[in-house]
Amino acid sequence: MRRILPLVALLLAAAAPSARAVLTIEITRGIEGALPIAVVPFGWQGPAAAPPLDIAAVVAADLRRSGRFAPLAERDLIARPTRAEEIRFPDWRALDAGSLLIGRLRAMGPDAYTVQFQLFDVFRGEQLLGFSIPARGDTLRRTAHRIADLVYERLTGERGAFDTRIAYVVALPEAAGPLRYELKVADSDGFDARTVLRSPEPLLSPAWSPDGERLAYVSFEGGRPAIYVQEIATGERARLASFAGINGAPAWSPDGRRMAMALSKDGNLEIYVMDLVDRSLRRITRSLAIDTEPVWAPDGRTLYFTSDRSGRPQIYRVPAAGGRPERVTFEGEYNARASVSPDGKRLALVNGDGGRYRVAVLELDTGLMRVLTDGTLDESPSFAPNGSMILYATRDRGRGVLAAVSVDGRVQQRLVPEAGDVREPAWSPFNQPTE
């Protein structure tokens, strides 16, 4: 029997066990020749003890997990400068550190700080970057991610995505029988995880709003699937779609005004678009096949979706206003669960061949497909907002974990939960609010 489309399988059956809260990142593959950089512990200026967060350690960890940088170990640092005049560039050249990051944290009042940092080209002895960022105690970790983004962009020419978040679904075993499901949001490095929703029933398909303030998701509360939208900051939520049959796979339009979804309210599972102001529906596909998992192109004019109208699941595209669908994937017996890159040039998807399901990238202009992962059940790919990495769910020693791979396949990470299983990842957009 052929594999059922993942969304339909999960909506027609109970979701498999999913995970806990804190995620530990393991870098399983990096780029050979990663750029050496020295990240010096930041100095402290204040009347009391320094805050417990080590800003430099967070920045170094961010750069290391990108796979593009090789921060020097703290024990190998030959000095601890916090100001430009304290730097002896010849000493750092001897360590072959191409770049040097220094900084200091200054108390400005009760729970108020200024974080100052400077990035230098060691071999030229020149400053490349320098900023002063205000922060509170509860925003220091985010400030560290912002610094890592600025350093990454200055040295690579690409925007960083460390100051972003990930959403994922966790299932925890209860002492007496059934699983407890939790929808969680964490920083992109797995820290500061918090639970958005707890439920005794499965939760599926979290999707970020374009402003990063809300999540849409599928909940089985009440014994049947329904689509909800929830404010992350307040927890306030509303039921968006609870028609008879399947309500699944919500996807926000780029302007946040519409929601694509898969509904079977008219008998067959089809793609619909809902206007979020008046809740009116437009049916996009009309087929005897299963049409599901819609995603938007960045310009909001095209929808990509999964359909088995050719006999097996493949990716198609259709105008968002409706029209004739066009098949996009042809390589492999199974292609599903598309995610569109921020520039609209690539699709990340699940490619199935020979009983193995792996994450692949399809170049839309050439039709070239490259398989990036080597698992047997890799699923739910989600692009980082800068398009450099793809987050996905996989299995590791019998457990559900999250993993990430660069679009060229050269950098691989694994985000390991402390307990249980985790799946259904979604990477946030850039423009998240300050909390």
Side-chain angles (χ1 to χ4, degrees):
M1 179 182 295
R2 67 177 175 84
R3 188 176 185 239
I4 302 175
L5 293 178
L7 168 71
V8 180
L10 287 168
L11 287 171
L12 296 179
S18 305
R20 243 262 311 172
V22 177
L23 302 170
T24 302
I25 295 180
E26 300 173 355
I27 300 174
T28 56
R29 183 189 300 171
I31 295 176
E32 185 177 351
L35 301 174
I37 182 173
V39 182
V40 178
F42 283 22
W44 163 245
Q45 295 176 275
L53 180 71
D54 187 337
I55 293 176
V58 175
V59 174
D62 281 346
L63 297 175
R64 181 179 296 108
R65 66 187 173 88
S66 75
R68 307 281 293 272
F69 295 91
L72 301 183
E74 186 174 341
R75 65 178 179 274
D76 295 332
L77 300 177
I78 57 175
R80 305 292 178 96
T82 61
R83 298 179 181 275
E85 56 268 23
E86 299 171 355
I87 300 172
R88 290 177 53 86
F89 288 106
D91 295 342
W92 295 100
R93 293 182 192 122
L95 291 181
D96 200 31
S99 303
L100 172 66
L101 180 70
I102 65 171
R104 52 198 175 276
L105 177 63
R106 181 180 178 187
M108 303 300 292
D111 197 39
Y113 306 95
T114 294
V115 184
Q116 298 173 316
F117 72 94
Q118 294 165 283
L119 176 69
F120 294 90
D121 182 315
V122 168
F123 293 101
R124 294 183 178 180
E126 297 177 353
Q127 179 173 313
L128 301 176
L129 203 63
F131 280 93
S132 180
I133 303 175
R136 303 187 309 272
D138 62 352
T139 64
L140 283 175
R141 175 170 283 277
R142 180 175 179 188
T143 300
H145 292 317
R146 291 177 63 192
I147 294 171
D149 281 340
L150 291 166
V151 171
Y152 181 92
E153 183 172 6
R154 181 62 181 85
L155 295 179
T156 68
E158 302 171 4
R159 187 173 180 181
F162 305 117
D163 181 26
T164 55
R165 294 171 291 176
I166 58 174
Y168 54 95
V169 174
V170 168
L172 296 170
E174 296 281 34
L179 296 170
R180 181 180 78 251
Y181 295 87
E182 296 181 352
L183 175 59
K184 291 185 175 291
V185 169
D187 289 353
S188 65
D189 61 356
F191 278 81
D192 288 347
R194 63 189 184 93
T195 301
V196 175
L197 180 69
R198 291 183 174 90
S199 174
E201 304 296 337
L203 301 169
L204 303 174
S205 306
W208 291 89
S209 63
D211 60 10
E213 296 183 355
R214 293 161 289 170
L215 282 171
Y217 56 86
V218 176
S219 172
F220 275 76
E221 58 197 80
R224 50 195 296 262
I227 297 174
Y228 289 81
V229 171
Q230 183 164 335
E231 296 279 347
I232 296 173
T234 66
E236 182 180 351
R237 67 179 191 144
R239 189 168 57 191
L240 191 63
S242 58
F243 301 101
I246 294 173
N247 301 269
W252 300 81
S253 64
D255 62 7
R257 298 176 181 177
R258 294 167 291 168
M259 183 84 71
M261 58 189 69
L263 305 174
S264 65
K265 70 183 191 69
D266 296 325
N268 193 56
L269 192 61
E270 305 282 359
I271 305 300
Y272 292 77
V273 170
M274 177 181 287
D275 184 300
L276 295 179
V277 175
D278 60 16
R279 302 291 180 92
S280 60
L281 277 174
R282 176 192 291 268
R283 182 169 170 174
I284 304 301
T285 63
R286 298 180 182 274
S287 171
L288 297 178
I290 294 173
D291 295 339
T292 186
E293 301 171 346
V295 291
W296 296 81
D299 62 7
R301 298 176 180 176
T302 302
L303 286 166
Y304 294 88
F305 65 97
T306 305
S307 176
D308 65 355
R309 62 184 63 202
S310 63
R312 291 181 179 273
Q314 297 291 340
I315 305 297
Y316 291 76
R317 63 184 161 208
V318 65
R324 184 175 180 177
E326 173 190 7
R327 183 170 168 176
V328 174
T329 56
F330 296 90
E331 184 176 339
E333 61 188 26
Y334 176 102
N335 292 287
R337 199 65 182 262
S339 175
V340 187
S341 65
D343 62 8
K345 296 179 178 180
R346 301 183 179 98
L347 295 182
L349 50 86
V350 178
N351 172 262
D353 210 4
R356 299 183 66 187
Y357 297 91
R358 298 172 292 177
V359 173
V361 164
L362 176 69
E363 303 288 342
L364 290 170
D365 58 345
T366 64
L368 176 66
M369 183 182 295
R370 290 174 289 124
V371 174
L372 303 180
T373 65
D374 56 4
T376 58
L377 190 58
D378 301 335
E379 56 188 7
S380 305
S382 175
F383 268 105
N386 66 355
S388 67
M389 300 287 290
I390 300 166
L391 185 67
Y392 64 98
T394 187
R395 305 291 296 177
D396 181 35
R397 294 184 288 274
R399 298 172 59 195
V401 301
L402 301 184
V405 61
S406 61
V407 291
D408 59 10
R410 295 194 295 167
V411 179
Q412 294 184 4
Q413 309 166 0
R414 190 148 293 182
L415 290 78
V416 181
E418 288 187 346
D421 290 335
V422 58
R423 60 180 57 214
E424 301 285 316
W427 211 317
S428 80
F430 279 123
N431 51 335
Q432 56 180 301
T434 301
E435 298 179 353

